[in-house]
Amino acid sequence: EVQLLESGGGLVQPGGSLRLSCAASGFTFSNYAMNWVRQAPGKGLDWVACISGSGGATHYAASVKGRFTISRDNSKNTLSLQMNSLTGEDTAVYSCAKDVGDNAFNAFDIWGQGTMVTVSS
Amino acid sequence: QSALTQPPSASGSPGQSVTISCTGTSSDVGGYNYVSWYQQHPGKAPKLMIYEVSKRPSGVPDRFSGSKSGNTASLTVSGLQAEDEADYYCSSYAGRNNPGVFGGGTKLTVL
């Protein structure tokens, strides 16, 4: 079964850091670009970052560039998101999503259930 | 990067057709054929319904169709069914510097 399972969310103070992980199974992980997408409570979808299948290319939304780092370990079928300098505007459910190909941002055919990140003092 | 513009709500009766629009610019929707549509039921993960403007993934009913004209993409749901009631989001590739953008979402109500 094709599956994505996120972990690492929680409560963090403004200015703090958090590292999210996404474990993939059921498909050849290295063949596909992967993405992080977030959704603030009651709000719409917000693309965060993507990484190519090899890990050699990364792209970020302007709102997180310089603060967040996306990475992947193809030997462990794992995607990660290191988040630094967090603010209240980063509060959201963070989901990892598999792209249909290895291009930067095409379409996301598999989604995880997400992990909640709350930034508050 | 500005979000793509969608109407906040749409509605139709069972059996009718409804079309949801998604307006961008020549830098995103109008510039590339990488427009996708997602269906999201409350508390659930989004589901890919349409990709590359008009392609349907395996398992998506052919009642769902996509198109594009200029800077506006559209999702049409024909033969509305109760289970189609959900939030729908469009997305588009927007170039190498900031590739991804979503629409604000449209709540579809089946009357």
Side-chain angles (χ1 to χ4, degrees):
Chain A
E1 179 188 5
V2 178
Q3 191 172 355
L4 297 172
L5 186 62
E6 302 91 341
S7 60
L11 175 63
V12 61
Q13 291 188 339
S17 298
L18 209 57
R19 187 177 181 86
L20 307 182
S21 295
C22 170
S25 59
F27 63 97
T28 305
F29 185 65
S30 60
N31 285 357
Y32 299 95
M34 295 294 296
N35 293 260
W36 286 98
V37 179
R38 66 186 179 183
Q39 189 168 28
K43 302 297 185 181
L45 301 174
D46 183 29
W47 174 76
V48 174
C50 67
I51 186 168
S52 63
S54 68
T58 57
H59 302 276
Y60 299 90
S63 58
V64 307
K65 193 173 294 185
R67 300 188 299 123
F68 290 13
T69 301
I70 189 173
S71 61
R72 64 191 298 160
D73 184 339
N74 287 343
S75 68
K76 296 181 179 179
N77 290 353
T78 300
L79 176 73
S80 298
L81 184 69
Q82 177 66 42
M83 305 185 294
N84 299 330
S85 302
L86 288 162
T87 74
E89 293 190 351
D90 298 315
T91 294
V93 173
Y94 285 72
S95 299
C96 58
K98 169 189 168 294
D99 204 287
V100 296
D102 196 18
N103 297 322
F105 200 100
N106 183 349
F108 309 151
D109 60 347
I110 304 296
W111 294 68
Q113 283 300 316
T115 186
M116 182 71 202
V117 172
T118 303
V119 183
S120 176
S121 55
Chain B
Q1 186 71 30
S2 300
L4 307 176
T5 300
Q6 297 181 235
S9 63
S11 63
S13 299
Q16 289 186 333
S17 294
V18 65
T19 297
I20 299 171
S21 63
C22 170
T23 302
T25 69
S26 59
S27 297
D28 39 63
V29 173
Y32 307 95
N33 288 322
Y34 289 117
V35 176
S36 303
W37 289 91
Y38 301 87
Q39 177 193 67
Q40 187 179 35
H41 288 107
K44 301 295 187 181
K47 176 185 178 182
L48 179 65
M49 305 303 284
I50 296 288
Y51 68 104
E52 293 176 11
V53 177
S54 60
K55 297 179 180 179
R56 267 189 317 275
S58 174
V60 173
D62 60 5
R63 302 186 294 102
F64 292 85
S65 62
S67 63
K68 189 183 82 167
S69 177
N71 296 336
T72 299
S74 298
L75 172 71
T76 297
V77 186
S78 305
L80 271 174
Q81 299 182 5
E83 59 262 35
D84 298 334
E85 185 163 294
D87 293 325
Y88 290 82
Y89 295 91
C90 63
S91 71
S92 175
Y93 178 70
R96 288 183 61 84
N97 289 336
N98 192 10
V101 62
F102 280 97
T106 297
K107 182 175 181 59
L108 175 62
T109 301
V110 181
L111 301 171

